[in-house]
Amino acid sequence: MIEDQIIAQKICDLHLKTIGELNEILFEIQEKCSEEEFHAYRRIVAHLMYTFWEALDAIYVKHPSIKPEQFD
């Protein structure tokens, strides 16, 4: 995994921001799409979020000092 802690922190910040944005778009499209469209897209987004969380977990194992306190 990422050895450089500064780069690891940048990656984590980007992943967390992206997860938040994906979550926001889910709320937006839920109101504007059919239920079928929403569920199909939500499955894709859930897979993406899971992948981001896996990467975050791996980085936090390597660099526990950058793990946000609320994630404990």
Side-chain angles (χ1 to χ4, degrees):
M1 192 40 72
I2 307 301
E3 295 291 329
D4 185 290
Q5 186 167 332
I6 294 170
I7 298 299
Q9 181 68 62
K10 288 181 180 182
I11 291 168
C12 289
D13 292 346
L14 178 62
H15 283 0
L16 291 171
K17 179 182 175 194
T18 302
I19 289 168
E21 290 174 352
L22 287 168
N23 197 47
E24 285 178 25
I25 196 69
L26 281 176
F27 285 113
E28 184 177 332
I29 68 163
Q30 186 174 18
E31 299 170 359
K32 298 177 180 170
C33 294
S34 70
E35 189 173 335
E36 183 179 307
E37 289 175 315
F38 173 71
H39 289 296
Y41 187 70
R42 185 175 66 180
R43 279 191 297 276
I44 294 167
V45 169
H47 180 72
L48 291 170
M49 286 181 170
Y50 179 79
T51 302
F52 282 121
W53 282 114
E54 281 188 318
L56 286 168
D57 285 341
I59 291 171
Y60 294 150
V61 166
K62 182 77 175 171
H63 302 282
S65 64
I66 66 172
K67 185 178 182 179
E69 289 180 17
Q70 65 265 30
F71 288 7
D72 284 331

